[in-house]
Amino acid sequence: MIRSVLAPNPAPFTLDGTRSWLVGETLMIDPGPAIDTHVEALLETQPRVATILVTHRHADHAPAAAFVAARSGARILAPEGVLDDAIVAERLTDGATIECEGFVITAVATPGHTAEHFCFLTDGGDLFTGDTILGEGTTAIFPPDGVMADYMASLRKLRALQPRAIYPGHGPVRSDAVAWIDYYIAHREERERQILEELAEGPLGVAELRARIYPELQAGLRSAAEMQLLAHARHLADRGLVVPNGARLSLVR
Ligand SMILES: [Zn+2]
């Protein structure tokens, strides 16, 4: 039995809010933001919570873990650097397995959205993806913490696990898990192609690239789009395809 409790924190980057996942009677994934009513809802829905897993440190995923643990006595397992050492029972490592009531769940290191991000896969093929894969749209990769090369490797790593369904930190459940990961990979590859195509006409700054690739974007979303493009540019530069040229980017010919 997998249930979710939606936190009341809707915003452009959280879609309709953070989804905290309750698996069986005792496992909770990403308790979410420190909002009193949300913590109450979590404890009410899963009063026997015994284990809390956290995907990454962001304020819309991790902080409520401390409150749920304090009230329930549940143990917290979190990536290195997430939450206070004093309240974390165990730090996650790639491939670590966690025994729960009636199933086993494996921690999968998936750096990219943030360096410490983990996803979690049950032995039944249910994959909990935090902010690595959302239920709709795409996720934010903001340098320097967000690294596109790592992110692409993490998407391919998740695809190789052949999950049955994806339970994201935001947005709806995806029963088309592998096809959805393929879309995520294709979307990023398409963006790279677009960047290379624009730069083929001559050097461009990131803001100029943004204006060409996202011509309709409203002012409030422009800096986020530029961060994504910068993440792509770094990934292209790592592979020797693009080189910084003053404040602009040039194609390596
Ligand atoms: Zn995040």
Side-chain angles (χ1 to χ4, degrees):
M1 179 183 52
I2 301 175
R3 296 168 290 173
S4 73
V5 175
L6 183 65
N9 62 336
F13 290 108
T14 65
L15 305 178
D16 56 348
T18 302
R19 244 164 246 281
S20 299
W21 292 104
L22 315 181
V23 190
E25 295 297 329
T26 61
L27 176 66
M28 187 180 294
I29 300 173
D30 274 358
I35 298 173
D36 287 349
T37 54
H38 182 58
V39 170
E40 292 304 326
L42 290 172
L43 289 164
E44 210 165 286
T45 313
Q46 198 184 44
R48 291 180 52 219
V49 57
T51 303
I52 297 169
L53 298 177
V54 180
T55 59
H56 69 300
R57 68 173 192 281
H58 283 162
D60 56 330
H61 291 261
F67 297 92
V68 172
R71 294 268 300 275
S72 64
R75 61 175 181 154
I76 298 174
L77 284 69
E80 203 62 59
V82 178
L83 299 167
D84 233 47
D85 278 341
I87 63 162
V88 174
E90 217 174 294
R91 293 298 178 185
L92 295 168
T93 54
D94 190 28
T97 54
I98 300 122
E99 298 268 353
C100 300
E101 255 183 18
F103 65 97
V104 174
I105 193 161
T106 302
V108 184
T110 53
H113 171 74
T114 62
E116 82 286 359
H117 198 294
F118 271 81
C119 292
F120 303 102
L121 180 69
T122 70
D123 49 7
D126 295 316
L127 179 65
F128 297 85
T129 53
D131 277 352
T132 293
I133 299 175
L134 309 185
E136 57 190 32
T138 56
T139 197
I141 308 299
F142 289 170
D145 199 29
V147 175
M148 192 62 74
D150 292 348
Y151 183 65
M152 295 303 288
S154 290
L155 289 179
R156 294 193 170 99
K157 182 177 181 179
L158 292 176
R159 190 192 189 286
L161 297 172
Q162 295 283 306
R164 185 179 66 179
I166 287 174
Y167 299 80
H170 308 279
V173 174
R174 303 296 309 202
S175 51
D176 57 345
V178 173
W180 188 237
I181 298 173
D182 283 340
Y183 163 74
Y184 258 55
I185 293 170
H187 168 82
R188 298 295 178 173
E189 288 177 342
E190 171 60 22
R191 188 67 79 228
E192 271 193 356
R193 268 195 297 278
Q194 274 179 298
I195 293 170
L196 292 172
E197 221 173 86
E198 295 297 342
L199 292 179
E201 294 172 25
L204 291 170
V206 171
E208 294 168 310
L209 257 184
R210 187 260 306 149
R212 289 176 181 221
I213 290 176
Y214 307 90
E216 311 283 309
L217 208 60
Q218 62 191 79
L221 295 174
R222 284 179 192 158
S223 72
E226 288 171 18
M227 294 285 268
Q228 296 282 309
L229 291 172
L230 194 59
H232 276 293
R234 287 189 180 182
H235 188 29
L236 290 165
D238 287 345
R239 286 173 290 154
L241 297 168
V242 158
V243 68
N245 177 347
R248 298 177 140 188
L249 298 162
S250 285
L251 212 57
V252 175
R253 293 178 191 271

